[in-house]
Amino acid sequence: MTAEETVTGVDAGGGRPVVPARGAQRPLGFAEVRVTGGFWAGLQATNADATLEHCESWMERLGWLANFDRVASGATGPDRPGWSFSDSEVYKLAEAAAWEYGRTDDPAADAMVRRLTARIAPAQDADGYLNTCYGHGGQAPRYSDLETGHELYNTGHLLQAAVARLRTTGADELVDVARRAADHVCAEFGPDGRQGICGHPEIEVGLAEFGRALGVGRYVEQARLFLDRRGRGTLRDVPFGRAYFQDDVPVRQATAFRGHAVRALYLSAAAVDVAVDLADDELLAAIARQWDHTVERRTYLTGGMGSRHQDEGFGEDWELPADRAYCETCAGVASVMVSWRLYLATGEVRYADLIERTLYNVVATSPRADGRAFFYANPLHQRTAGGGTDHDAVSPRAEGGTRAAWFDVSCCPTNVARTLASWQAYVASAGHRELTLLQYAPARIATTLDDGDVLAVDVTTAYPADGTVTIRVADAPAHAVALRLRVPSWAGGAVLSEGGRTRVVGPGFAVVDRPLVPGEEFRLVLPVAPRLTWPDRRVDAVRGCVAVERGPLVLCAESVDLPSGSLDDLIVDPSVPPVARADGAVVRAVTGDEIPLVPYHRWAERGPSAMRVWLPAR
Amino acid sequence: MTAEETVTGVDAGGGRPVVPARGAQRPLGFAEVRVTGGFWAGLQATNADATLEHCESWMERLGWLANFDRVASGATGPDRPGWSFSDSEVYKLAEAAAWEYGRTDDPAADAMVRRLTARIAPAQDADGYLNTCYGHGGQAPRYSDLETGHELYNTGHLLQAAVARLRTTGADELVDVARRAADHVCAEFGPDGRQGICGHPEIEVGLAEFGRALGVGRYVEQARLFLDRRGRGTLRDVPFGRAYFQDDVPVRQATAFRGHAVRALYLSAAAVDVAVDLADDELLAAIARQWDHTVERRTYLTGGMGSRHQDEGFGEDWELPADRAYCETCAGVASVMVSWRLYLATGEVRYADLIERTLYNVVATSPRADGRAFFYANPLHQRTAGGGTDHDAVSPRAEGGTRAAWFDVSCCPTNVARTLASWQAYVASAGHRELTLLQYAPARIATTLDDGDVLAVDVTTAYPADGTVTIRVADAPAHAVALRLRVPSWAGGAVLSEGGRTRVVGPGFAVVDRPLVPGEEFRLVLPVAPRLTWPDRRVDAVRGCVAVERGPLVLCAESVDLPSGSLDDLIVDPSVPPVARADGAVVRAVTGDEIPLVPYHRWAERGPSAMRVWLPAR
């Protein structure tokens, strides 16, 4: 332990993925937010019942788990199975299982964490280095390929898994392993160590949160060091250019998220963490500025980010092709990470708006209803129906159209799993004397305000199928507190009823600031009638098209719903308003036919289908 | 020499790149077509004066030529400079210089061929194998990576270089080297040899033409064998899928050109060669069908092919983004190769139409006016101005926007060079008793018809700047012959005058079939006034946009010509007809501004600029 190390104490509970040192809003933990039903509870249940085991069995089958055993036994070699980042999938699964155990106390989830830890821990070297692809038995030396080796990336995910364990169960062997790994990274890459960075950001966000969770300031400092080193061209140039891994321009000087989308977003999440904890307002403002630019000009209607398959990257401003949209599922997860951190730092509603859009239309789109197949890319237009899923095969491709059981590069399933297992984190936040509801789901939300008073509400809703959200006060102090309800930016004409009074509330936060009475109810009605959305005229790819949204859901047309079985000739008549039907809508084609639209997140669930979000309009 | 080998005699002259065994049309050689001025003569002169030397000096500087020296001296090793296909650049340059010598008798071009041959020849192994990347001094063994090793691809280009030498100068050391290499390939990959194919087609088209040029049927048979083996999944699967190298479906069963565009087109060119020479009408019909499908649905207005950067490949039908169009220069060259072979086989005008479109808008677009920098990709929309050219650097990227002096993968400069040096091949063709003019340029065209009569014409024109083409008969037999003049598909309202008579001639061939009198003149007037072109409604990427063409030239708007310096706000009023100005046109914006358009092939010649071919229209 170095002289400058500060240890402020272990944050051993709370179940919160992100706990900044300061900020406009305080995140709530699992004990404070219990989701009791609805859309997301269903996805969480499937995640718990199917996806976790599905991921573990594929990683066992492919030898990604056995890679740890072979390092431990000294039997590994240069020809190990899996990419250099396969270790991270094991860590992400451990993280998911840890959150799941925290959420439900399901002993099966706890057993999975222990089982994975028992495979991981013996592979750690005496000095804390832990990697199954480098540095053992004829493999390339440690840190010999910072550009593509993913060593620190893997470690970052190990630290995030340990954070989940720390914040749900408390310190255990996984946390000990992570601590040794983090110390190794600090020793190796510290101020006097290798002046390098990892080609794939992730260690930064892992170190920052692990430092927060353990109260070890040195880890946050190391994250800052990595961030400061970035953008100075220390990584080798690659055909895609150094923007691919954000080593072209220092973080605080960039104007937009750029290059590989997941890399850019993990890096930005870490930058917010460091900015907040180390009071670097300039850095925070830089990321907020980049977010604004990116969300205006480089983000799809679904919240998806990444326009290019070529480098899994952001394209240029307004380069948003529907058909070749990459919109990697992991970029959706990473976007939520960035927006959540910016929300906590600033309390600004636009971040929560984008989180909702991305959760419903990217994260929820990836897993098939049974939780055993996943979209990797999430295009907004599929010209030809994909093939069926081969349940027994690894997909070598990240194309859209068909959810695959597993991928050669299989980052998305475990990323979905850890996000769903910790989904309740995004439901609400608290301020000094206020509670803010951000995402609407049936839930009991109870927190202790800063002054020690307890405020508890029960939420009932069929959102997003229905726009009515009822909030019943369960417990409240006698003095005035603020209950703040997010009104999404699309929800013009929302109405809030309390007692006999009803008022229109505009997008932003609808606030009730007075003493609340246990038993009293508020009713927020968000207009979820289908609505037409026209694109910015600068988006060339969808000029002359219109989309239909319903509440937070982007809708789409599927060829399986058309009598012709084809979307090639579809032109809609936008003068006829779309009409709600089931959980989607119906629009009128210029031929007079009624065209059913379904939620985008459920497309290709009824077999291979062509699909369009943006519909050519007369 | 095997029992089945047929040797029909060396075709030692004529200067024709492609000489099929049969076909509807007979190609004319350099001695029969002398281009005397105009657009293409200018490009040919720059190619001769600047590009050939430019390519040689870069390959010397980068060690691609020295790779041959080191194999010859036994000093090579696994760490040689350049990609596995760098040998092919040397062969393509030798081919270009050989055609150039045939075209002009310039001793400098002949000296270049000899100089390159003197480097190449000593690197050949005793058994005919010739490759600087495999099989020597610690390199991977021969043919150990058929998927990506490019060994047979390199050899194919060697054979094409030898064809150029054979058909201009006659047999020499380069031809001897190629012959030994071809014999080696037949021995190694013959009916009883390795049952493999090369991941990049090219050996097929090389073997077919080398076999034709030498009269060695065995080489054509080996090309057939490679074609027959393809599409059966003998190559390892890759993330892009086996369609990437056309190993997914047998050649004759495919419905469209697909996968990597240059691979698909080189393969298709060879398929036509084999189909023609071995009287395989089913195969010929298959390629013609694939061409029709591809040109209708997978080809840009410029003639460019390849919609995706990711795999340098064709996308799906109607997937034709303007901004991310790849349209590799080499795919334009390869498309001309395929269309020329189909034209010779069938005599159908649509192939010559596409050749013209592609030559003016892809091939001519690549080289900068000074012949020392090149576009690799040819998008139809550049959102942000590219950087300037660094004349002293190798571009690692194939992005559009800036012509580069050289590339890490530098296939395009030498491909442009060999195409320009042999450009006159595409000007005209002959039939039994007819002469057909296909591309209009100032030229003397003289050929001996099948019955021994000489027919000669002199063409004068300022095409494409002006649409008037004057054809003066210089020599003709006393009996009737047919003079056929291609009327491009865009040239509605073309007029042909002979003597005092004038008649409108529709797209296709305008035919004069009567005895011709030396001294008489024909005047063909093609309407080259600017015209609006609307896209097929199924091309999502350019819905609501219009393009402007002028004769064979696609025009574009450049930001440097706009007062605002930006194309972001440009919307044109298509109710105002475009007006010719200089070599481009002027269109009216909805703001009332006049927007100048320039030929696409000259864009970015006046410094970095944003650019659009497809203009948003009110």
Side-chain angles (χ1 to χ4, degrees), chain B residues 165-502:
Chain B
R165 199 63 171 160
L166 264 173
R167 295 234 178 94
T168 50
T169 314
D172 72 348
E173 188 181 10
L174 184 65
V175 174
D176 292 343
V177 168
R179 173 109 199 197
R180 286 192 295 271
D183 287 341
H184 158 76
V185 169
C186 291
E188 193 78 18
F189 289 90
D192 304 322
R194 294 176 193 259
Q195 299 299 297
I197 57 174
C198 183
H200 198 316
E202 163 62 25
I203 184 67
E204 301 84 356
V205 75
L207 278 169
E209 205 62 42
F210 195 51
R212 289 166 168 177
L214 284 173
V216 177
R218 192 162 47 98
Y219 295 161
V220 182
E221 273 297 328
Q222 182 64 42
R224 184 191 61 73
L225 210 54
F226 281 132
L227 281 159
D228 282 353
R229 281 180 196 156
R230 204 164 202 98
R232 303 180 194 286
T234 65
L235 296 174
R236 196 178 59 233
D237 196 11
V238 288
F240 297 138
R242 287 200 179 89
Y244 174 71
F245 31 45
Q246 296 78 43
D247 196 30
D248 54 336
V249 175
V251 178
R252 69 186 70 226
Q253 290 170 24
T255 57
F257 299 156
R258 67 208 183 285
H260 186 270
V262 176
R263 283 172 166 80
L265 293 162
Y266 282 175
L267 182 71
S268 301
V272 178
D273 289 336
V274 165
V276 165
D277 280 32
L278 302 182
D280 186 341
D281 290 343
E282 181 195 89
L283 180 60
L284 181 63
I287 302 298
R289 220 169 35 238
Q290 294 168 31
W291 188 97
D292 284 343
H293 184 109
T294 304
V295 173
E296 183 194 12
R297 295 164 183 243
R298 301 184 175 194
T299 302
Y300 285 89
L301 184 66
T302 53
M305 294 185 182
S307 306
R308 296 183 178 179
H309 281 244
Q310 187 185 21
D311 59 349
E312 303 185 300
F314 287 101
E316 298 189 323
D317 290 351
W318 313 116
E319 181 191 323
L320 294 164
D323 51 356
R324 294 294 289 167
Y326 196 63
C327 294
E328 185 180 340
T329 299
C330 289
V333 167
S335 166
V336 170
M337 287 168 56
V338 177
S339 293
W340 180 240
R341 283 159 175 79
L342 286 168
Y343 170 74
L344 293 176
T346 66
E348 290 176 19
V349 71
R350 65 184 184 283
Y351 301 119
D353 281 351
L354 186 69
I355 287 173
E356 177 176 56
R357 183 172 288 280
T358 309
L359 285 171
Y360 275 107
N361 301 295
V362 179
V363 175
T365 305
S366 176
R368 196 174 51 199
D370 69 356
R372 296 182 177 279
F374 306 86
F375 276 143
Y376 192 116
N378 295 283
L380 281 73
H381 180 190
Q382 182 75 25
R383 290 175 190 282
T384 53
T389 299
D390 183 342
H391 294 270
D392 205 40
V394 173
S395 171
R397 281 167 274 282
E399 297 291 322
T402 307
R403 293 178 178 87
W406 200 250
F407 299 91
D408 183 39
V409 173
S410 215
C411 42
C412 296
T414 55
N415 237 341
V416 168
R418 67 183 185 136
T419 304
L420 291 177
S422 58
W423 182 83
Q424 56 279 359
Y426 305 112
V427 168
S429 68
H432 176 62
R433 48 173 290 285
E434 77 197 14
L435 175 67
T436 303
L437 270 55
L438 297 164
Q439 308 298 335
Y440 297 111
R444 154 62 69 100
I445 303 168
T447 189
T448 302
L449 302 179
D450 290 357
D451 57 7
D453 291 319
V454 171
L455 179 58
V457 299
D458 289 304
V459 181
T460 53
T461 183
Y463 189 84
D466 183 86
T468 301
V469 183
T470 303
I471 301 109
R472 185 176 172 282
V473 178
D475 199 355
H479 56 80
V481 291
L483 181 63
R484 307 197 317 155
L485 309 174
R486 184 176 68 91
V487 179
S489 60
W490 48 262
V495 169
L496 178 65
S497 307
E498 43 177 315
R501 298 183 311 279
T502 290

Side-chain angles (χ1 to χ4, degrees), chain A residues 177-228:
Chain A
V177 168
R179 174 108 198 199
R180 286 193 293 271
D183 287 340
H184 158 76
V185 169
C186 292
E188 193 77 18
F189 289 90
D192 305 322
R194 293 177 194 258
Q195 300 299 298
I197 57 174
C198 183
H200 198 316
E202 162 63 23
I203 184 66
E204 300 84 357
V205 76
L207 278 169
E209 204 62 40
F210 194 51
R212 288 166 168 178
L214 284 173
V216 177
R218 193 163 45 100
Y219 296 161
V220 183
E221 274 296 329
Q222 182 65 42
R224 183 191 61 73
L225 210 52
F226 281 132
L227 281 159
D228 283 351

